[in-house]
Amino acid sequence: MKKRELIVITLLLAIILFFNISSILKYWTAYDEPFHYAYGERVFSKNFDRKDIAHANAEMPVSVLNVIPAKVMERVRGGELLWSKNDRIRSGRYVTVLASLILSIFVYRWSRRIYNPGGALFAMFLYAFSPTILGFSCLVTTDLFATLSIFIAVYFFWNALRLPVWRNIVISAFITGIAQLTKYTALLLFPMFVILLLSAYMPKLYLFIRIR
């Protein structure tokens, strides 16, 4: 990786971070954030019961990640509850921001393997300024975590099709399992894998049948 390329990547990461922190400081709690955070607190307390069927997507185990910053500060302060509920939710948003930064790196990484450094930087640029990504990457919801885990699972499955070694297969399987803890949408990974598998091997199978 060239120095100029690294500088652009760092700049784009800084832009993503700036946009998200600005949003965190500016916007109040969204309608569904309390549901996600409340379930995260229950999971942190080892209570996995789902109480609100109407907000089933808000009750996913991955929400426990958003609770960690407030819980760490409480432990540091000897169990003292530091902030109001809204402030605790706001602290949890930084975990989603971190997930967004990780996703941007994977967008760059996969694009670079398919295209070239210029194409990868352009893909990362589009990601950094995507209204959808900016809207969800500063909230305590499961959407960004689901996007991250689905993207990584498909990336390593794609790797496994190109290079079927145990490392790629195990990582893809592991992330696919993790994705099921983020959102019910992750179930779509299984038909996606079937489609990718068929697209990779159907031409070879067709050629084999014709030769036979």
Side-chain angles (χ1 to χ4, degrees), residues 110 113-114 153-163 172 196:
W110 197 351
R113 291 191 60 184
I114 297 176
V154 174
Y155 171 71
F156 279 103
F157 189 81
W158 176 79
N159 272 343
L161 292 177
R162 292 167 60 89
L163 184 63
S172 179
L196 288 172

Side-chain angles (χ1 to χ4, degrees), residues 26-145:
K26 181 178 179 181
Y27 295 114
W28 291 99
T29 304
Y31 164 75
D32 55 344
E33 285 185 286
F35 300 106
H36 290 274
Y37 195 86
Y39 188 70
E41 286 185 319
R42 295 208 300 275
V43 173
F44 193 87
S45 303
K46 300 178 181 179
N47 176 10
F48 296 89
D49 294 338
R50 288 182 165 88
K51 299 180 179 179
D52 191 350
I53 298 176
H55 297 91
N57 266 326
E59 296 188 335
M60 299 299 288
V62 72
S63 294
V64 72
L65 297 176
N66 295 110
V67 176
I68 291 175
K71 295 299 181 182
V72 169
M73 289 303 297
E74 288 175 17
R75 294 289 176 88
V76 171
R77 295 291 297 271
E80 180 185 352
L81 192 63
L82 297 181
W83 310 305
S84 67
K85 183 65 173 287
N86 285 337
D87 288 334
R88 295 202 301 276
I89 290 175
R90 183 172 291 181
S91 72
R93 290 175 173 176
Y94 289 99
V95 180
T96 313
V97 173
L98 177 61
S100 178
L101 292 172
I102 295 172
L103 179 54
S104 70
I105 293 172
F106 270 93
V107 168
Y108 166 81
R109 181 176 178 178
W110 197 351
S111 301
R112 196 176 197 276
R113 291 191 60 184
I114 297 176
Y115 304 109
N116 52 46
L121 292 174
F122 183 63
M124 193 175 180
F125 171 84
L126 293 177
Y127 176 93
F129 290 93
S130 167
T132 304
I133 294 297
L134 291 174
F136 284 100
S137 58
C138 60
L139 296 177
V140 177
T141 62
T142 60
D143 301 279
L144 205 289
F145 294 115

